[in-house]
Amino acid sequence: MAREQVNFYQGFHPPNREWVPEKVDPGQITPKDFYEKFVATRTPCILTKPLPDQAWKGTDKWTLDYLKRVAGDVIVHVERAETDNSSFGSSKPREEFKFVDFVNALENGDRTLYMTTQYHNTANEGLTDQAEIQRLLEFCAPPVNTLLNDYPMSPSILNSLVTLMVNLWMGGVDATNTNGTSSGLHHDYHDNLYILLRGRKRFTLFSPRDAERMYLEGTIEKVYANGNIKYANTGRTREDGADLMEVAKWRVAEAEKNLERAEKLGTGIDEAEDQLDEAMSVLTRFQVEDGVDDFEDFDETEAGEMEDDSSEDEEDDGFFPGEKRKGICAEETIAKRSKLDGLDDEEEDDMASPSQGLEPPSFSRVPAAELHLQRPSGKYLLLNDATQVSFSVNKGEMLYLPAGWFHEVTSYGDADDGIHMAFNYWMAPPTTKDADNPYEDGYWHSVKDEISSLLKRHANASGQIPTCRRANGCDAKTRESES
């Protein structure tokens, strides 16, 4: 029996294994041209220079001494590998470090530590605006919450897209370790602009067209035209990654605003009431499906401040779709890897079927080492029909990687001290080819407006967001950065 089609990807696919991304000077291409040539076509690209934005200072300013001085007191959560040569992404709990102690450990030669995405979901007792600070720390968790004056909230080269999260990545690999350390093969749910500040990275890619050949942990429900991937049992999400429940709340809020305007103007009231009834109907249906009984309490205030729902649930981060309701943040896959060294299944169908493990559904069970063998082991036969490409990103370069592209990243440290470091932007993936209107509605731009407003309200003059305001001190104090 023929399998039902689930893959509707319509973007770029490498023509062969020799393909490498085009290299572009970000100062020599307009954001509109970049969108049309790379973003709309879902084509990876290497940008040969750092961000040209005036607000970007990371390339020259972010020395280790500067970072320790500005962000040294904040608490970060770090993964520890078993040995210097181990790959990262184990299921072990991350360890807490003061950022200064983590950087000192790297400088002193500890190669078992790696700082990846920081998900700030601890309660901020004592905050006067706890929910708002929590919301901001989901956008820029420590240590980047102390560096706001050093990077633009949205890079100009991708100004059409809405930035949802920024991150700093740091680890160490000695020059004697020629194999580097691996992230494991996985995909992300958002478009990624990855800025390499120290070291070198080798990327191994597969396009979303090959999704069904990746031996995934999860069951693919649909590969959207833009490459974003929806898995079974991961909630309601649409092509641009937005959670449909959150979109429904936003639409109710917008409809209530429209009705209020119509009533003040004395015209268009019937149309505005119909719009509100329709929006309320969709939201009610979702809440009934989810067994939510408090719809009667959902008023205009709640609709206008729908973030409050996420602040009450540590597992619902307010940004990431689908997986968040199971306590798995979507982009945490970049720090995860399969611990399987291989499979002994005799049947290829058994090997290709989803596992029942605890890894995120977007992660592959193919060991990273398998991708780099001169002669593949033959255990993963579906890879023979996939188009694998590999290339390096060097210090000072940036990689644009669309959502849904599978990638394994091998890190190598700087020659002088063995440390590698990168900064990245995660952005909501677009669903149109129009740079002026990349999304189907205004939901993601409402998120952008909300974050911009909160940053103006809570970031201090030194470009820092506090993680707490306790009378007896904090577990993650902020410092005044140098001007």
Side-chain angles (χ1 to χ4, degrees), residues 31-33 35-36 40 159-161 432-439 445:
K32 182 177 178 62
D33 288 343
Y35 185 94
E36 293 176 350
N159 61 9
S160 295
L161 303 184
T432 80
K433 297 185 181 299
D434 185 355
D436 295 325
N437 297 285
Y439 306 111
H445 283 97

Side-chain angles (χ1 to χ4, degrees), residues 243-253 279 282-283 286 298:
D243 182 287
L244 291 180
M245 176 72 87
E246 300 304 311
V247 174
K249 293 178 181 179
W250 169 75
R251 285 180 172 162
V252 168
V282 173
L283 179 58
F286 288 159
F298 183 84

